[in-house]
Amino acid sequence: YGLKAFSPIAEGYWYSDYDDFGAGRTYGYARKHLGHDLIVGTGTPVVSVESGVVEALGWNQYGGWRVGIRSLDGKRYYYYAHLRKDHPYVEGLAEGMRVNAGDVIGYSGQTGYSIKENVNNIDTPHLHYGVQLIFDESQKDDPNEIWIDLYSLTRLLSAHRVSVARNPDTEEVERL
């Protein structure tokens, strides 16, 4: 078993980041930031870092439109949040679907921090990207479990970005 991984941001799209893991957050309740924010423009293609199965898809009041992907070995849960309002995912993405490392899964935005669906309450468009190690299935999504500080890994993966192009028939961005 080997691991093939890509940057969560497609080639040709600008982003900036800083080490924000563990920083304080206050929406809803005081908590630590258990992911890595990549500042991007709205509509930037979001790429599946590793191959896996779409396990969660939909609205979450904290993450807005989000996608959760479980690695094929079941040990890592990738969380991509604050996706674009009105068109957060590529057409056809569904729970239970297998995606390959490097597939475009959605588009960045600034949704979230709202009980009401499809609301832009995040000030700056960005991708919240997180990875949780799963050792006890009952603890998935638990803030007390093992979330990875992705800053250094994101820097490493920035040299491994997927080339994409817009399909003129569907208007979706696809991996080349």
Side-chain angles (χ1 to χ4, degrees), residues 11-89:
E11 182 179 50
Y13 290 84
W14 169 92
Y15 76 90
S16 69
D17 63 343
Y18 59 95
D19 193 358
D20 59 341
F21 188 84
R25 294 293 190 265
T26 58
Y27 174 81
Y29 62 98
R31 64 193 187 287
K32 300 289 184 188
H33 187 238
L34 299 176
H36 184 56
D37 289 344
L38 289 86
I39 310 304
V40 295
T42 299
T44 297
V46 175
V47 171
S48 181
V49 171
E50 183 181 350
S51 296
V53 176
V54 177
E55 195 168 275
L57 192 67
W59 184 263
N60 171 294
Q61 74 170 328
Y62 300 100
W65 292 122
R66 51 75 166 121
V67 178
I69 297 175
R70 179 73 68 108
S71 62
L72 296 176
D73 67 1
K75 300 298 183 190
R76 289 166 303 288
Y77 178 70
Y78 292 81
Y79 182 76
Y80 309 84
H82 307 306
L83 301 179
R84 182 171 65 185
K85 182 179 177 180
D86 297 326
H87 189 76
Y89 318 115

Side-chain angles (χ1 to χ4, degrees), residues 40-170:
V40 295
T42 299
T44 297
V46 175
V47 171
S48 181
V49 171
E50 183 181 350
S51 296
V53 176
V54 177
E55 195 168 275
L57 192 67
W59 184 263
N60 171 294
Q61 74 170 328
Y62 300 100
W65 292 122
R66 51 75 166 121
V67 178
I69 297 175
R70 179 73 68 108
S71 62
L72 296 176
D73 67 1
K75 300 298 183 190
R76 289 166 303 288
Y77 178 70
Y78 292 81
Y79 182 76
Y80 309 84
H82 307 306
L83 301 179
R84 182 171 65 185
K85 182 179 177 180
D86 297 326
H87 189 76
Y89 318 115
V90 294
E91 190 173 318
L93 193 69
E95 287 185 23
M97 179 179 185
R98 180 188 164 135
V99 294
N100 293 315
D103 285 352
V104 178
I105 56 173
Y107 305 100
S108 65
Q110 57 195 91
T111 60
Y113 286 11
S114 174
I115 294 171
K116 184 178 175 188
E117 281 189 10
N118 210 30
V119 173
N120 281 338
N121 272 349
I122 304 294
D123 292 332
T124 304
H126 69 279
L127 171 65
H128 171 95
Y129 158 58
V131 177
Q132 181 188 21
L133 300 180
I134 307 291
F135 296 105
D136 178 349
E137 197 61 39
S138 71
Q139 300 299 309
K140 186 175 133 281
D141 284 332
D142 188 320
N144 295 316
E145 283 302 302
I146 300 170
W147 288 87
I148 299 172
D149 182 343
L150 295 170
Y151 180 71
S152 295
L153 183 59
T154 302
R155 291 292 166 127
L156 178 69
L157 292 176
S158 70
H160 198 116
R161 296 171 79 182
V162 169
S163 297
V164 297
R166 187 167 305 278
N167 181 325
D169 296 329
T170 66

